[in-house]
Amino acid sequence: MTPMRPFGALMSVVRTYIVEDNPVILNNLTDTLEELTSVHVMGSAADEMAAVDGMRNDARAIDLVIIDVFLASGSGLAVLRSAQEMNLPARRVVLTNYATPDIRRRCAALGADRVFDKSSEIEDLIDYCSGIGDGSARAPAPVG
Amino acid sequence: MRAMLTYPLQLRRPPPALIVALLLALLLFVGNEWAYQHAQDSINRLREQNTADQMVQLVLRRLVDAESAQRGYLLTGRTDYLEPGVDAQREIASALLQLRQLYSANPALLALIDTMADRIDEKLSELRETIVLHDTGRQTAALDLVLTDIGREKMQAVRSAANAMREQARALASTERSKVIRALDAGRLGIHAAMMLSLLLFIHFLHKSAALQEEQRSHARDLQHERERLESQVRERTLELSGLNDRLQLVREEERQRVARVLHDELGAILTAAKLDLVRLRRLLGRELADPAVSRLDHLASTLDDGIRLKRHIMEGLMPSALHNLGLREALEALADDFLTRTHNPTALELATVEVGERYRVIAYRWVEGVLQHVEQRGIATSICIGLRTADPDLFQVSVFDTGLDAEAASGALRSDNMIGLRNRIEAIGGSVAVSSVEGQGAEIVARLPLDREAQS
């Protein structure tokens, strides 16, 4: 367990765009990240098309994109690819229930900084987001 | 015994043709016999006619002999000339007797015979008279008597009576001959008739036989139709059942997918939310937590992890995500891994990278899964090899080789409802299933399915 950041310490806001189709996860994740890190969720999308539009429209206002692999329609990997193609300046990380080495490889090839398993690497995600906030996060992260 | 009981029952109503044939035979027999008898009678009578004729001629000759005897005696006076006459009279008498016997049934002829007999008597008495005259010394009177025409007239009378008789007898003979001819005719007609009837009977039988054959052919055709109808019913049923099986399998898979989806989406989300809450809880309470509370939270975390693992395990069991996301090869690798973990049987893999269409990956996967389940249930330690490769231009093949199986056990593996259903499905899509074994080395269960290239995801 990583030590808490001291209250009031200056941290830059990490403007975050979440691509996730399950509202329960979206809400919980938003609350958790905003409570424990300096992430501010400025937008979200539930499917590929909305995600691509959202990223394109607010390209400069996004610091971090968190992408779930399985979406209502379309695929998280395709969202990754679109972000890569539009040279989105923001970091992209993938959240998935099925983080096999092959998936990790593919996501990395599509420009993902990290891949986090939803069940076992939640803490790592929180740490990573904190890292971005206080400038200590490495970029890009090696393939896990 | 049974045959004897039925036989008379069969005769109770004999076919009419048989009756006609019997009547015909009877007719022929009776007719022939009758004709024969008649002809024989007539011929016998003809012979009698002949005898009668000869008798008459004999009578006449003897009469002439008697006359000659008289003449001789009259001329020579010697008694030895009379002897032939005596004999002659005797013979005449017996001949007349025979004649009477011959024609005893014919009153007309009897009358003629009597007439002739009378004339003969007259002639004979004339002869006797002359002899008496001679013997009593009146030779001259005797010669005078001879010189008269009485003798000749009397002889003539005999001859005409004889002729009359012979005429009548000849008429009778001719009648008898006609009778013979009629009898023969009757016989001939009878035979012709019999022949015609036989011919008709024969034609009738031919007709019946043809009708019977036609009936048999028609019956055979009916049987054939019935058989074809039944066969087509069987085919229909089989198709129905095969289609049903297909649909059931599909429904099962879809159901599994649906449940997997719910697990993933909803249960997964709930568990993730719980984990998130736990993370926040830990960070919120952080330093302020006493040890028991910390270990409680740790325990909660680990319980949640167990829940997530269980969820994953159930999902993979229902719908292997590797199958959908990565491919058949990777899914089989995972299956082998699982199998090894559970049974500790050596599990080898010979997996080529084969691009299989989405639809048929599941079937191949379930097939191998089914075989492995059976192997696991048997509980015998063996070594397994799972194979995947292409076969033919459009097929791929999954195989499970087990050193502990023999041909019979391998066939037994295919007899469960699950495997039968899968097999039907495989065969319905144009694949095949086979078992091959090498004595003492083990057996291999193989399924071949179409690659389904056009439908690949």
Side-chain angles (χ1 to χ4, degrees):
Chain A
M1 200 170 84
T2 17
M4 280 280 291
R5 298 287 153 204
F7 273 108
L10 255 179
M11 284 184 290
S12 51
V13 169
V14 180
R15 296 164 301 175
T16 306
Y17 189 79
I18 303 186
V19 184
E20 167 64 62
D21 65 338
N22 189 302
V24 169
I25 296 182
L26 177 65
N27 294 334
N28 274 281
L29 191 61
T30 304
D31 290 345
T32 308
L33 287 175
E34 289 188 339
E35 182 181 304
L36 301 178
T37 69
S38 57
V39 156
H40 166 66
V41 175
M42 36 64 70
S44 69
D47 61 77
E48 179 186 330
M49 273 179 36
V52 172
D53 280 346
M55 288 188 308
R56 190 176 290 122
N57 291 341
D58 299 317
R60 289 188 216 292
I62 304 176
D63 298 318
L64 170 66
V65 185
I66 303 179
I67 307 170
D68 181 12
V69 171
F70 290 110
L71 299 174
S73 74
S75 147
L77 298 182
V79 174
L80 255 188
R81 187 183 293 118
S82 303
Q84 190 179 55
E85 280 165 8
M86 67 172 82
N87 285 319
L88 196 70
R91 295 168 189 264
R92 286 91 68 190
V93 299
V94 172
L95 205 52
T96 176
N97 260 321
Y98 196 75
T100 58
D102 194 57
I103 294 261
R104 291 183 195 271
R105 256 197 312 274
R106 288 212 255 171
C107 291
L110 290 171
D113 275 359
R114 297 284 288 275
V115 176
F116 297 101
D117 186 302
K118 258 189 223 175
S119 314
S120 54
E121 291 172 332
I122 297 281
E123 298 252 9
D124 296 333
L125 170 65
I126 294 168
D127 289 343
Y128 176 80
C129 293
S130 305
I132 300 177
D134 67 16
S136 69
R138 295 165 297 188
V143 172
Chain B
M1 200 59 207
R2 185 173 274 268
M4 280 178 64
L5 278 174
T6 56
Y7 190 55
L9 287 176
Q10 281 174 357
L11 278 186
R12 204 170 7 126
R13 250 187 321 130
L18 186 63
I19 295 178
V20 169
L22 285 174
L23 279 177
L24 198 64
L26 199 66
L27 182 76
L28 219 67
F29 177 75
V30 163
N32 240 2
E33 283 302 304
W34 176 87
Y36 174 73
Q37 284 302 323
H38 262 259
Q40 200 173 57
D41 288 347
S42 297
I43 287 172
N44 284 340
R45 273 195 285 275
L46 277 173
R47 216 182 307 134
E48 287 164 2
Q49 258 42 303
N50 221 12
T51 314
D53 214 54
Q54 284 173 7
M55 289 290 122
V56 170
Q57 291 188 22
L58 180 75
V59 162
L60 287 173
R61 269 204 306 279
R62 283 290 169 255
L63 205 57
V64 168
D65 285 348
E67 203 181 47
S68 303
Q70 176 233 41
R71 300 277 200 262
Y73 182 64
L74 284 179
L75 274 175
T76 61
R78 288 185 15 207
T79 44
D80 49 348
Y81 273 86
L82 279 177
E83 274 171 30
V86 174
D87 294 334
Q89 281 188 59
R90 240 202 340 272
E91 283 180 38
I92 287 170
S94 81
L96 283 174
L97 196 63
Q98 275 183 19
L99 275 171
R100 286 214 175 81
Q101 276 173 347
L102 274 172
Y103 291 119
S104 53
N106 199 321
L109 268 174
L110 278 177
L112 289 172
I113 293 170
D114 287 341
T115 314
M116 186 175 76
D118 290 341
R119 300 285 162 278
I120 291 171
D121 274 342
E122 285 167 17
K123 175 71 185 172
L124 283 173
S125 69
E126 181 254 325
L127 290 175
R128 273 195 296 270
E129 224 182 279
T130 52
I131 290 168
V132 163
L133 281 172
H134 176 85
D135 283 347
T136 52
R138 291 176 278 176
Q139 281 101 340
T140 324
L143 279 171
D144 283 341
L145 194 57
V146 169
L147 281 170
T148 63
D149 281 335
I150 294 175
R152 201 161 29 107
E153 280 167 16
K154 293 243 190 275
M155 199 63 178
Q156 210 48 39
V158 170
R159 279 203 213 281
S160 24
N163 282 339
M165 211 219 84
R166 285 172 83 192
E167 279 305 313
Q168 183 77 329
R170 227 173 269 138
L172 267 183
S174 139
T175 312
E176 289 301 321
R177 268 201 293 279
S178 327
K179 277 200 200 167
V180 169
I181 301 226
R182 268 210 305 282
L184 288 176
D185 259 347
R188 190 174 117 242
L189 280 176
I191 287 175
H192 283 328
M195 188 203 73
M196 287 307 297
L197 271 176
S198 313
L199 201 64
L200 284 174
L201 211 64
F202 183 65
I203 290 174
H204 174 74
F205 267 121
L206 280 181
H207 180 70
K208 275 245 158 136
S209 163
L212 186 68
Q213 275 184 350
E214 183 51 44
E215 197 183 300
Q216 280 175 338
R217 270 198 292 271
S218 150
H219 185 64
R221 273 198 299 275
D222 284 343
L223 274 178
Q224 179 67 13
H225 282 148
E226 189 62 28
R227 191 174 27 241
E228 280 167 10
R229 194 177 66 84
L230 284 172
E231 276 174 12
S232 95
Q233 269 192 351
V234 165
R235 270 198 300 274
E236 263 182 53
R237 282 298 147 75
T238 310
L239 269 174
E240 266 181 36
L241 287 171
S242 179
L244 183 65
N245 173 62
D246 251 14
R247 286 191 295 279
L248 283 172
Q249 297 261 338
L250 265 174
V251 162
R252 204 164 89 162
E253 283 303 330
E254 280 167 11
E255 187 65 24
R256 281 173 160 170
Q257 279 194 36
R258 202 182 58 78
V259 173
R261 194 118 298 262
V262 166
L263 275 176
H264 176 270
D265 292 348
E266 299 182 31
L267 185 57
I270 289 170
L271 288 170
T272 307
K275 278 221 80 165
L276 285 169
D277 274 346
L278 187 59
V279 167
R280 289 158 74 183
L281 202 57
R282 273 177 162 165
R283 303 237 175 161
L284 274 175
L285 298 174
R287 277 183 222 119
E288 296 155 32
L289 276 183
D291 272 340
V294 170
S295 52
R296 227 27 32 240
L297 281 179
D298 286 344
H299 186 257
L300 180 59
S302 132
T303 306
L304 272 177
D305 283 340
D306 283 346
I308 288 170
R309 249 196 309 279
L310 178 65
K311 175 211 102 185
R312 281 225 176 121
H313 180 73
I314 293 174
M315 253 188 68
E316 289 301 304
L318 287 173
M319 198 62 240
S321 44
L323 196 62
H324 169 73
N325 298 328
L326 300 172
L328 183 57
R329 183 203 161 121
E330 289 78 5
L332 288 177
E333 282 171 353
L335 200 57
D337 227 14
D338 245 11
F339 183 74
L340 179 59
T341 310
R342 280 198 310 277
T343 65
H344 305 290
N345 278 334
T347 310
L349 292 170
E350 282 177 10
L351 306 177
T353 306
V354 179
E355 291 297 321
V356 178
E358 183 90 45
R359 316 191 261 176
Y360 297 159
R361 283 188 216 165
V362 180
I363 306 175
Y365 180 83
R366 293 288 178 218
W367 177 261
V368 174
E369 193 185 30
V371 174
L372 289 178
Q373 269 174 9
H374 178 85
V375 168
E376 200 176 332
Q377 274 169 12
R378 271 170 56 252
I380 303 173
T382 53
S383 104
I384 306 277
C385 178
I386 301 176
L388 168 66
R389 61 177 179 82
T390 51
D392 271 359
D394 290 317
L395 302 173
F396 72 96
Q397 171 179 302
V398 286
S399 57
V400 178
F401 178 79
D402 181 355
T403 56
L405 281 179
D406 56 21
E408 199 186 312
S411 304
L414 301 184
R415 265 184 234 128
S416 70
D417 282 344
N418 180 38
M419 297 307 280
I420 290 175
L422 278 174
R423 176 186 190 155
N424 268 327
R425 187 100 193 281
I426 290 172
E427 285 170 357
I429 61 176
S432 61
V433 156
V435 168
S436 64
S437 66
V438 180
E439 189 74 39
Q441 284 182 31
E444 190 179 35
I445 301 177
V446 168
R448 290 188 172 190
L449 294 86
L451 279 166
D452 201 30
R453 284 208 185 88
E454 318 80 46
Q456 276 177 24
S457 59

